[in-house]
Amino acid sequence: MECRSNCGACCIAPSISGPLPGMPKGKAAGEPCLHLLEDLRCALFGKPERPAVCARFQPAADVCGSSRDNAIWLISELEAATA
Ligand code: SF4
Ligand code: SF4
């Protein structure tokens, strides 16, 4: 599937355990990434400093769901199941 605009759920809902630029300890689940822009796009997209974990992530129906709210819920469920 294509990444939907005005979403950003995968930059908020999951925890990221590895370092991100400006976030050396990564981020907690539910915490917006420092690099998530107001329009919910990634400020580091296409830049070499974008973390590999982000570059590897591909939109998929079982994670992204049918809407932003659905994605937040699905990712939060996955997060809780793997905590
Ligand atoms: S959760 Fe999926 S649709 Fe939403 S921004 Fe991330 S990749 Fe795109
Ligand atoms: S670096 Fe970009 S893609 Fe990765 S979590 Fe932050 S905003 Fe999202």
Side-chain angles (χ1 to χ4, degrees):
M1 67 172 279
E2 295 273 313
C3 179
R4 75 175 69 86
S5 57
N6 300 308
C7 182
C10 57
C11 305
I12 300 170
S15 62
I16 297 180
S17 55
L20 301 159
M23 302 179 92
K25 295 182 178 173
K27 71 171 212 67
E31 177 186 17
C33 174
L34 195 63
H35 305 288
L36 189 61
L37 298 168
E38 274 189 27
D39 64 2
L40 301 174
R41 291 181 303 119
C42 173
L44 302 182
F45 191 84
K47 296 185 177 176
E49 59 268 38
R50 189 173 186 232
V53 66
C54 302
R56 277 197 305 269
F57 181 78
Q58 294 294 315
D62 57 344
V63 176
C64 304
S66 55
S67 66
R68 179 174 194 264
D69 285 348
N70 190 214
I72 294 268
W73 183 81
L74 283 167
I75 297 169
S76 299
E77 288 288 300
L78 282 172
E79 182 73 30
T82 56

